[in-house]
Amino acid sequence: MTNARAYLANRSNLLASVLVALVVAYIGWKVTESPEQALQFAFNGMSVGAVYALVAMGFTIVYSTVWFFDMYYGAAAALGAYGVFYLRSSETLGGLYEVNNPVVNGIFALVVAGVVLWALHTAFYYRLRSRFGEKTLRIGGVILAVCAGAYAGAVLTFPSNLHITLAPTIAIIAAIAIVVCGRALNTRIFRSNLQKVPTIALTIGGIAVGVGLGIWLADSPGSKLYLSWGVSCFIAGSVSLALYRGLYVYMRQRARSPLVMLVATLGILLAFSALIVMVFEPTPRPLPEPFGNETWKVAGASIKGFNVFTIAVACVGFVGLLWLLKMTTFGRTVRAIGDDEEVAKVVGINTTVIIAIVFFIGAVFAALGGLLSGHDTAIQPRMGLLLLLKGWIASVVGGIGNLQGAILGGFILGMIEQFGIWDLAGEWRDVVSFVVLILFLSFWPTGILPRK
């Protein structure tokens, strides 16, 4: 039996080596045949791969924490793209197709209110109930949550004034971030109390910068498209958090198999796809051009500035997520939950809160990938499922459950897709992806960078 297994393993490795050699030889042949076109395909592959990498990173951080395949991330990618279209439809197609649905606004306002109420209860209730009383805290939390939901509904209802309605929020966030980061750096850099910058000076500086930023933003209508990116990602993340806290927690307690969660999340994905068709119609829709149509000529290849931006976003997102997981207390708790959730509970980690935050972060990455893909091509109802599958294939290629493998697999898949359709029609791109999936599952099931 051992000899038979060794023989099969050796034969598999030999076949894998032959396949790799053939792929490398094919790409080398194409490069010598037309260097300019090869550079164009390589750049296109990097741009598409950046989108796959973003979706794969969102999927990876969730999968490596809870170890089930959440198909909502396809819906999150579609929400990111359609959220931008929803908020900026007046600037698309000459304003001929504008969507603003009070029911949709109300649903998302309720989701935001619920998420804010849960966050307030989790962060402050147990700390402050001895000082203010349970009833006072509950009433105050409900009031703040209702205000947050109403504010979210106003933002969605008046998309033409997005730069004005979001200016106060961004000013407050900027002021708080400056004060918090300033205090942290102050403590690390200056050890002596005599050298520390006074907290009141940091507070005044943070408020001044926040107010200035808010005034500038309110007077900058050109920022509405970029603000719609943030709103769309926040909505997608809030829905993911609400699904986990309101549904997945209880299903995981009762589910005897990951297959139950897979089927349930598939139902959620199909439901969101149906809702998208009902609200937006099945026709593909374009998104506004973020940086114009100008291209750069590099060694005979045409390069769009937006595609460079997409690659940069994927790289920055990877660095930020890697720092969060490797260098912070939150990241250590996430890795502890991924290793053994029951042990993490025993040592005092609030796994429900940590996993909920992970779901929010993962959905934000998926939504970001979806909206960047929509700007590059067009949006359509089934784009969420396709991006989910491509993100999953990228994870398999790079090494499922490994963040470094996710970004590597995304770029590799994008390159293989582009070079794979060199002599074929563009419609064959999805076929190439699934051939890659079959080959990796057959010969490299743990991926290029297996999770340790």
Side-chain angles (χ1 to χ4, degrees):
M1 181 66 70
T2 303
N3 292 334
R5 289 180 178 176
Y7 170 75
L8 292 175
N10 292 332
R11 188 176 68 173
S12 177
N13 292 333
L14 178 61
L15 290 174
S17 301
V18 171
L19 286 172
V20 171
L22 289 174
V23 170
V24 171
Y26 173 78
I27 294 176
W29 169 50
K30 287 298 183 182
V31 169
T32 57
E33 185 181 44
S34 176
E36 296 83 3
Q37 193 170 356
L39 181 62
Q40 185 69 64
F41 274 107
F43 181 76
N44 292 344
M46 291 286 288
S47 177
V48 174
V51 172
Y52 298 162
L54 284 168
V55 180
M57 285 188 284
F59 163 77
T60 296
I61 186 176
V62 173
Y63 182 80
S64 61
T65 305
V66 295
W67 299 107
F68 73 82
F69 189 14
D70 182 14
M71 299 193 72
Y72 163 74
Y73 285 94
L79 276 178
Y82 275 95
V84 174
F85 181 78
Y86 187 86
L87 293 169
R88 304 271 38 94
S89 57
S90 59
E91 301 175 0
T92 307
L93 300 177
L96 299 176
Y97 187 81
E98 185 171 358
V99 180
N100 201 290
N101 193 315
V103 176
V104 173
N105 297 340
I107 290 173
F108 286 123
L110 288 174
V111 170
V112 171
V115 168
V116 170
L117 182 61
W118 173 81
L120 291 172
H121 182 273
T122 302
F124 302 111
Y125 177 75
Y126 295 105
R127 296 180 183 180
L128 302 178
R129 63 178 176 179
S130 59
R131 181 181 303 180
F132 297 101
E134 295 185 9
K135 185 176 180 180
T136 302
L137 287 176
R138 292 182 187 277
I139 294 174
V142 170
I143 293 174
L144 290 175
V146 170
C147 291
Y151 177 70
V155 169
L156 296 174
T157 303
F158 304 104
S160 59
N161 297 321
L162 203 62
H163 60 301
I164 298 174
T165 54
L166 286 179
T169 301
I170 293 177
I172 293 172
I173 293 173
I176 293 174
I178 289 172
V179 173
V180 172
C181 294
R183 291 185 64 179
L185 291 174
N186 205 17
T187 303
R188 289 194 174 191
I189 295 175
F190 302 113
R191 300 297 181 184
S192 172
N193 290 330
L194 296 176
Q195 294 175 317
K196 287 184 179 179
V197 179
T199 302
I200 188 170
L202 288 173
T203 304
I204 293 173
I207 293 174
V209 172
V211 171
L213 180 61
I215 293 173
W216 172 81
L217 193 62
D219 196 36
S220 303
S223 62
K224 289 184 288 186
L225 175 61
Y226 310 107
L227 292 174
S228 69
W229 293 358
V231 173
S232 301
C233 291
F234 176 77
I235 291 294
S238 297
V239 172
S240 180
L241 191 154
L243 283 172
Y244 173 75
R245 190 63 190 89
L247 179 63
Y248 295 171
V249 168
Y250 306 104
M251 291 189 64
R252 291 183 70 207
Q253 292 173 353
R254 293 164 175 79
R256 295 174 178 266
S257 168
L259 182 61
V260 175
M261 300 301 301
L262 175 65
V263 173
T265 56
L266 174 61
I268 292 171
L269 172 60
L270 295 177
F272 270 99
S273 299
L275 289 173
I276 287 172
V277 171
M278 288 189 287
V279 174
F280 297 98
E281 301 177 3
T283 308
R285 304 288 181 185
L287 293 181
E289 285 286 346
F291 304 139
N293 291 316
E294 294 185 5
T295 58
W296 307 326
K297 287 292 185 179
V298 178
S302 299
I303 298 176
K304 292 175 62 177
F306 181 74
N307 297 131
V308 177
F309 174 75
T310 301
I311 297 171
V313 168
C315 294
V316 171
F318 167 73
V319 172
L321 195 55
L322 187 65
W323 174 84
L324 182 67
L325 294 177
K326 299 293 186 181
M327 305 298 293
T328 66
T329 302
F330 172 79
R332 287 190 288 271
T333 58
V334 170
R335 286 183 280 131
I337 294 171
D339 292 336
D340 196 317
E341 186 174 346
E342 294 303 321
V343 173
K345 290 179 181 178
V346 170
V347 299
I349 296 175
N350 191 335
T351 57
T352 301
V353 172
I354 299 299
I355 294 174
I357 297 173
V358 167
F359 268 77
F360 180 90
I361 295 172
V364 167
F365 270 78
L368 190 58
L371 68 89
L372 291 175
S373 174
H375 277 294
D376 193 36
T377 54
I379 59 175
Q380 54 178 322
R382 71 188 191 102
M383 66 177 293
L385 178 59
L386 288 175
L387 285 176
L388 173 69
L389 293 175
K390 296 299 180 65
W392 182 63
I393 295 172
S395 298
V396 172
V397 170
I400 200 162
N402 188 338
L403 187 63
Q404 292 89 334
I407 187 169
L408 178 64
F411 284 121
I412 288 177
L413 179 62
M415 297 284 284
I416 292 175
E417 275 190 356
Q418 293 299 314
F419 279 95
I421 61 171
W422 188 309
D423 295 317
L424 302 171
E427 290 77 8
W428 284 86
R429 189 171 64 178
D430 295 337
V431 176
V432 172
S433 297
F434 289 107
V435 170
V436 171
L437 173 63
I438 292 171
L439 291 175
F440 267 85
L441 291 177
S442 300
F443 300 110
W444 302 283
T446 58
I448 298 173
L449 298 175
R451 178 184 170 95
K452 296 180 181 180

